[in-house]
Amino acid sequence: MDHHTSRRDLLLTSLMAALPLGIGGAAASPLNPEQTIIKPPETLQWKTLPPFPPGSFDNVALAGQTTAPGLYYTLVRWHPGYMSAPHFYSTDRYCMVLSGIWWCNSGADFDPAACVPVPAGSYVRRVALTPHYDGVIKSHNEPVVIAICGIGPVNFTLSDPSKPPWREV
């Protein structure tokens, strides 16, 4: 046996001898709730903000605020029969449909019949300064939940400020 083979064998033997100590040794440390923050669904504080009517639109701010500078992350829930009025934001918004079907369209002319159904698992990017509207059509039987993030402030602007920010459909 040559010098390189015996040295390799010695290193491999040492490594193999140490493995059982690392694998079966000490137990993992417990989860630190200050380092890994978990909020089960039942603890989320859904709120309907004025001027939206009860049972139309709810949201939960998870991180940051859409009205403040910096990153925000929020959940939005539209209930059947309600949609946003055409509006736009000053910054891009990045959206994931978590459950239900979201009905979306672009433009300042409100026409729910022209909306595109966007199912759970879909990604939607709302491009800054482009008018759009969305929600859940009345004939659909379940709300939609969307996770939305972006950089604030978003500066929500209605296409027609003489009308409310929501529409019953």
Side-chain angles (χ1 to χ4, degrees):
M1 175 161 41
D2 65 30
H3 176 69
H4 296 290
T5 303
S6 62
R7 183 174 172 182
R8 184 188 70 212
D9 290 344
L10 179 61
L11 288 172
L12 187 58
T13 302
S14 300
L15 177 64
M16 295 304 287
L19 276 178
L21 294 174
I23 293 173
S29 59
L31 180 116
N32 182 335
E34 293 176 15
Q35 296 174 358
T36 301
I37 300 162
I38 298 172
K39 293 183 179 184
E42 65 274 6
T43 66
L44 298 177
Q45 300 293 311
W46 290 93
K47 296 179 183 178
T48 300
L49 302 175
F52 293 94
S56 63
F57 169 88
D58 312 307
N59 75 334
V60 176
L62 298 173
Q65 297 177 349
T66 59
T67 57
L71 179 72
Y72 66 87
Y73 191 62
T74 187
L75 297 178
V76 167
R77 179 172 55 198
W78 280 104
H79 295 274
Y82 292 93
M83 300 186 87
S84 63
H87 63 281
F88 59 88
Y89 306 104
S90 59
T91 60
D92 285 3
R93 296 185 81 169
Y94 306 94
C95 314
M96 284 295 301
V97 180
L98 302 180
S99 65
I101 297 177
W102 194 22
W103 300 83
C104 299
N105 204 350
S106 300
D109 298 326
F110 186 74
D111 181 8
C115 287
V116 174
V118 182
S122 299
Y123 167 77
V124 175
R125 177 179 168 205
R126 294 296 200 182
V127 177
L129 305 175
T130 61
H132 60 273
Y133 53 96
D134 50 65
V136 179
I137 60 173
K138 189 173 193 155
S139 63
H140 202 68
N141 61 357
E142 68 177 310
V144 64
V145 176
I146 308 118
I148 303 173
C149 72
I151 303 297
V154 299
N155 301 313
F156 174 87
T157 304
L158 286 167
S159 296
D160 182 352
S162 70
K163 295 182 180 175
W166 57 275
R167 303 278 171 88
E168 190 168 357
V169 293

